[in-house]
Amino acid sequence: MARNKFDSDEEIEQKFNANIIFRLFKWIKPFTGWMILACFLMLLSSAISLTSPYLIKMAIDKAIPNKNFRMLIILSSILLLSTFLIRILLAEKLKLMTRVAQKIIVNIRKDVFTKLQNLPFTYFDSRPHGKILIRVVNYVNSLSDLLSNGIIQLISDLFTLVVIIGFMVAIDVKLTLVCMAVLPVLFIILFSMKKKQHEAWKQESYKRSNLTAYISESLNGMKITQSFARENINQNIFDELCYKCKKVWIHAVNINNIIWPVVDNLSTLGVALVYMAGIAWLGNGTGHAVTIGTLVAFAGYIWRFWFPIQNLGNFYNSMVTTGAYVERIFELLDENEDITDKPDAVELPPIRGHVTFDHVNFSYEKGTPILKDVNFVITPGMTVAIVGPTGAGKTTIVNLLTRFYNPDDGKILIDGLDIQNLLIKSIRKQVGVMLQDSFLFSGTIMENIRYGKLDASDEQCIQAAKAVQADDFISSFPDGYNTKISSNGGGLSQGQKQLISFARVLLSDPRILILDEATSSVDTHTEKLLQQGLGELLKGRTSFIIAHRLSTIRNADIIFYVDHGKIIERGNHEQLIAAGGKYASMVQIKR
C-alpha cells in the first residue's frame, strides 16, 4: 500500500457555478407538485405570522389607550389562533418535504449506482473503491438537508422578505431605509467569502475521500496487513490521513462560521439604528413623528426581517458546502461510458460459438500496446487453452471477447457478427466468465449459485454444483446449500469459492465458456474430479481456458502461447511439444 496513493487529491475539471446546483432540478422536477404544495403551506404560515406585529400595534395604539377590552380580546384571540395554525402548517410542510427529499435522494443514488454499473473497467482500475463509495453514500446524503428544507425555505424566505418590506414601508418608509442601511455590507462580505468557502469544502471532500478509500482498502487487505505485521505502519498512515481530514474540516467550518456572527452583528446594528432613529422621532410633534405602537410593531418586523436574512445566509453556506460535494457526484455522472451500445445495435441471436479475432490491437494506455495483431478463428465446440508468461495479454484477449474493453483496431466476430454492433447484455448472456478472483456475495450458497440464472430451480443449482464436484463439501455443512456466507465467501477456502463460482457460471448454460485460471486454487484431487465433471459439460461449447496446470490445458483442441501481446505459437499439445518452442520449454519446466 503506497502512502502517497491515498494522500493525493483528485482534480475536478469543472469549476463551481450555479449551473451545478441547477442540475439538481432534473431530480426535483418529478416532485414539482408536492414541492408547490409545501411551498404554499410555508408561504401561508409566513403570511399569517407577519400579521402579529401589526395586531400588537393596533392593541397598543388603539385598544389599550381607548380601554377597548372587546377589541383587545379579539386581537388576542386572533394572535393565539394564528400561532396555533402556523405550528400545524409548518409540521405538515416538514413531513411533506422530508418524504419528498428522501425520494429524491433515492433517485439520485439509483442514477449514480446505474452509472457505476455501466462504467468501463478502466474507471475502477484507476481509482480506489473507497473514493467511489463516498460519492454514492456520503456525498448524496449531504444533499438531503438542502433538498428537504433549503429550497422551500429559500422561496419562503424571499417571499417573507418581500412581504415584510411591504409592511415596513406601509408603516414607516424612513425607518425601513434605516433598517436596510447595513445590507450592502452583508452582501459584500458574503460574495467575498464565496470562493474561500467553496475551496475549503472542496479540500474537505478531497481529504474525506482519501480517508474513506484507505479504510476500504485496509479492510479488504486486513489478512495481508496482519500477515506482514504492518499494523503500526498502517496505523501511522491512518493517523496522518485523519489529522489532515480534521485540519481541513476545522478550517472549512471556521470559514463557514464567519457568516453567523456577521449576520448576527449586522442585524443587531440594524435594530439599534432603528431604535435610535425611532426614539429620536418618537411623538415629538414636529418633523417625522413615530408612535409607540409603530416603534413596537417595527421592532417586531425588523427581527422578522433579519431572520430570513440569517436563513438565506445559512442557505448560502449550505449551497456552497453542498456544491463541493455535488461536483464530485456530477464528475462521476459525467464520466464517459466507453463501452456502450451503438444506437443501431442489435440483439445477439442464439449462437453456435464461432469466434474470430481479425487483426486485433489493444492498449490500456495510449502508446503502450498490450495486444498486437492478434488473429485466430475458433469453430464451435472447440476448447482453446491460452498460456504464456504473466502480463503477456492472455486475460486481455478474453476481456475483449466479452466487451469489457474495446479493441483499438481490428474486429472481433461471434458467429460472423461484429460484437461492436451487438447489444452488450445479449453478448454476456451467452458468454459465461469464470474470473481468476472468485467473488461471492453475502447470502446463502444456493443464492450465489443461482446468481448465474435467477429463474433456476434448486435442483438445477444442485446439478450444477455436482457437475463441478462442489456438492460433497456443500452437503457436509450443517445447513447445506442454505449455509450463509459473508461477503466474498468468508469462512470458505479459496478452492471452495472457485468451485461455487464455477457452478454459478455453468448454471447460466453459456454457449461460450471462459475460464481464467479457474482451477488455480483447487487441489490436485479435486481437480481430477472437476475434469471428469466438465468433460460432458464442455461438449458443444466453445471454451477458452487460461491456465498454467498441464492437466487443464493438455487436452485442449488448440493451444495459444502468448508472449508480448502476440500469439507466437499455436497447435495442440503434441504439435507444440514436437516443435520444441517456448511451450515445450514451459512444459519441461513444469514436469
Side-chain angles (χ1 to χ4, degrees):
M1 253 182 262
R3 176 184 293 262
N4 62 357
K5 176 181 178 182
F6 294 98
D7 200 22
S8 59
D9 301 326
E10 300 170 278
E11 288 298 324
I12 296 178
E13 295 182 1
Q14 58 185 341
K15 302 299 182 182
F16 173 76
N17 56 70
N19 290 331
I20 292 176
I21 301 298
F22 291 147
R23 285 183 67 176
L24 290 172
F25 283 93
K26 165 194 170 183
W27 291 292
I28 295 174
K29 188 176 179 181
F31 304 97
T32 303
W34 293 108
M35 295 191 75
I36 290 174
L37 176 58
C39 187
F40 172 76
L41 295 176
M42 190 71 183
L43 295 179
L44 183 59
S45 66
S46 297
I48 294 172
S49 68
L50 293 178
T51 60
S52 59
Y54 189 76
L55 294 174
I56 294 173
K57 177 184 181 300
M58 291 179 63
I60 294 174
D61 286 347
K62 295 183 179 180
I64 295 176
N66 297 325
K67 298 181 180 181
N68 189 339
F69 293 107
R70 183 173 179 275
M71 183 179 181
L72 191 60
I73 292 172
I74 292 174
L75 292 174
S76 300
S77 300
I78 294 174
L79 187 60
L80 181 63
L81 182 62
S82 64
T83 303
F84 181 70
L85 185 57
I86 288 168
R87 295 294 177 267
I88 294 176
L89 292 173
L90 290 178
E92 291 302 315
K93 169 260 173 186
L94 181 61
K95 287 192 291 185
L96 177 61
M97 280 311 301
T98 299
R99 287 196 297 267
V100 169
Q102 290 310 307
K103 288 180 180 179
I104 294 173
I105 292 297
V106 167
N107 289 342
I108 294 175
R109 192 167 284 129
K110 282 181 179 178
D111 287 350
V112 171
F113 189 72
T114 300
K115 180 70 176 185
L116 285 174
Q117 294 191 100
N118 292 327
L119 287 174
F121 280 10
T122 51
Y123 179 82
F124 304 97
D125 294 340
S126 61
R127 49 182 52 79
H129 291 176
K131 292 194 175 188
I132 302 172
L133 178 65
I134 198 171
R135 286 163 167 77
V136 183
V137 181
N138 297 46
Y139 293 164
V140 174
N141 283 344
S142 69
L143 296 175
S144 181
D145 186 57
L146 182 69
L147 294 172
S148 60
N149 292 311
I151 295 175
I152 295 299
Q153 191 67 49
L154 172 66
I155 297 171
S156 174
D157 288 334
L158 291 174
F159 169 80
T160 302
L161 271 178
V162 172
V163 175
I164 287 176
I165 292 173
F167 272 102
M168 291 167 68
V169 169
I171 294 174
D172 196 295
V173 176
K174 289 189 176 181
L175 284 179
T176 303
L177 295 175
V178 171
C179 171
M180 300 177 67
V182 295
L183 283 182
V185 179
L186 175 63
F187 292 142
I188 291 172
I189 294 174
L190 283 177
F191 283 105
S192 65
M193 295 296 296
K194 172 186 172 183
K195 187 175 181 181
K196 291 182 179 179
Q197 277 184 288
H198 178 63
E199 184 60 32
W201 284 107
K202 189 164 70 173
Q203 290 300 319
E204 190 273 340
S205 74
Y206 286 152
K207 301 306 180 186
R208 187 143 56 101
S209 176
N210 293 344
L211 179 61
T212 304
Y214 185 74
I215 293 172
S216 176
E217 184 163 292
S218 295
L219 293 176
N220 289 332
M222 191 58 69
K223 292 181 181 178
I224 304 299
T225 295
Q226 295 183 5
S227 297
F228 286 91
R230 281 264 308 190
E231 292 92 339
N232 291 337
I233 297 174
N234 287 7
Q235 183 67 51
N236 291 335
I237 296 174
F238 178 79
D239 291 344
E240 182 180 347
L241 292 172
C242 279
Y243 170 76
K244 291 183 177 180
C245 194
K246 179 195 74 172
K247 184 178 178 181
V248 296
W249 187 84
I250 290 175
H251 176 65
V253 169
N254 285 339
I255 293 177
N256 249 31
N257 287 343
I258 292 175
I259 303 299
W260 264 102
V262 165
V263 175
D264 195 45
N265 289 331
L266 286 176
S267 64
T268 302
L269 176 60
V271 172
L273 291 175
V274 168
Y275 277 129
M276 290 170 62
I279 291 172
W281 296 331
L282 189 61
N284 55 18
T286 60
H288 185 75
V290 175
T291 65
I292 294 177
T294 297
L295 187 58
V296 171
F298 211 88
Y301 280 121
I302 195 172
W303 284 116
R304 282 171 170 78
F305 172 81
W306 280 104
F307 184 73
I309 292 290
Q310 288 177 325
N311 285 340
L312 290 173
N314 292 336
F315 177 79
Y316 178 82
N317 268 351
S318 178
M319 187 178 69
V320 173
T321 302
T322 305
Y325 300 144
V326 173
E327 277 183 297
R328 314 305 293 271
I329 296 171
F330 284 127
E331 180 199 33
L332 187 155
L333 292 174
D334 292 339
E335 282 285 337
N336 291 326
E337 297 179 19
D338 299 328
I339 313 300
T340 57
D341 293 322
K342 289 183 177 180
D344 57 349
V346 297
E347 186 88 12
L348 176 64
I351 61 173
R352 295 182 300 117
H354 193 284
V355 177
T356 302
F357 271 56
D358 183 10
H359 298 285
V360 172
N361 296 284
F362 175 76
S363 57
Y364 292 105
E365 296 181 5
K366 192 173 182 179
T368 309
I370 302 298
L371 296 182
K372 307 166 188 175
D373 197 35
V374 174
N375 287 280
F376 61 78
V377 176
I378 304 300
T379 56
M382 287 183 66
T383 298
V384 183
I386 305 176
V387 300
T390 302
K394 305 185 296 296
T395 299
T396 302
I397 291 175
V398 294
N399 281 341
L400 291 176
L401 178 59
T402 51
R403 278 205 71 189
F404 290 146
Y405 302 93
N406 285 330
D408 298 336
D409 301 295
K411 291 182 178 181
I412 301 173
L413 309 174
I414 296 179
D415 283 9
L417 300 173
D418 188 341
I419 64 173
Q420 297 292 324
N421 300 324
L422 302 172
L423 294 172
I424 296 172
K425 288 185 178 180
S426 69
I427 297 172
R428 294 174 185 170
K429 283 180 180 179
Q430 300 191 62
V431 178
V433 182
M434 170 71 178
L435 299 175
Q436 184 174 358
D437 297 325
S438 304
F439 187 89
L440 298 181
F441 298 90
S442 58
T444 66
I445 292 176
M446 181 68 78
E447 288 170 343
N448 271 277
I449 296 175
R450 189 177 280 116
Y451 198 88
K453 187 180 180 182
L454 296 179
D455 60 349
S457 65
D458 288 354
E459 183 59 33
Q460 288 175 311
C461 294
I462 293 172
Q463 287 302 317
K466 286 180 177 179
V468 299
Q469 308 303 315
D471 180 70
D472 287 343
F473 82 82
I474 295 175
S475 299
S476 68
F477 295 140
D479 295 326
Y481 284 84
N482 292 320
T483 300
K484 291 188 177 295
I485 56 177
S486 59
S487 178
N488 204 17
L492 299 176
S493 69
Q494 187 63 29
Q496 289 172 331
K497 289 194 291 184
Q498 282 191 308
L499 290 176
I500 293 174
S501 298
F502 213 161
R504 179 170 60 195
V505 173
L506 292 175
L507 181 65
S508 65
D509 192 25
R511 302 311 306 157
I512 298 176
L513 186 62
I514 296 173
L515 309 178
D516 187 352
E517 294 290 357
T519 60
S520 61
S521 298
V522 179
D523 59 74
T524 305
H525 173 69
T526 304
E527 186 185 7
K528 289 180 180 179
L529 296 175
L530 183 61
Q531 294 293 342
Q532 296 172 10
L534 289 177
E536 290 296 321
L537 289 170
L538 292 179
K539 286 183 179 179
R541 286 190 176 88
T542 303
S543 304
F544 291 83
I545 302 174
I546 300 174
H548 289 96
R549 290 189 179 186
L550 291 177
S551 58
T552 307
I553 60 179
R554 66 186 309 155
N555 295 324
D557 297 310
I558 187 169
I559 300 169
F560 294 153
Y561 190 94
V562 181
D563 194 12
H564 292 92
K566 294 183 177 180
I567 301 176
I568 60 173
E569 296 179 11
R570 64 182 75 195
N572 61 34
H573 178 72
E574 289 74 18
Q575 291 170 336
L576 294 179
I577 291 292
K582 289 195 173 185
Y583 177 80
S585 299
M586 182 192 77
V587 171
Q588 187 65 34
I589 293 172
K590 290 181 179 295
R591 281 177 174 171

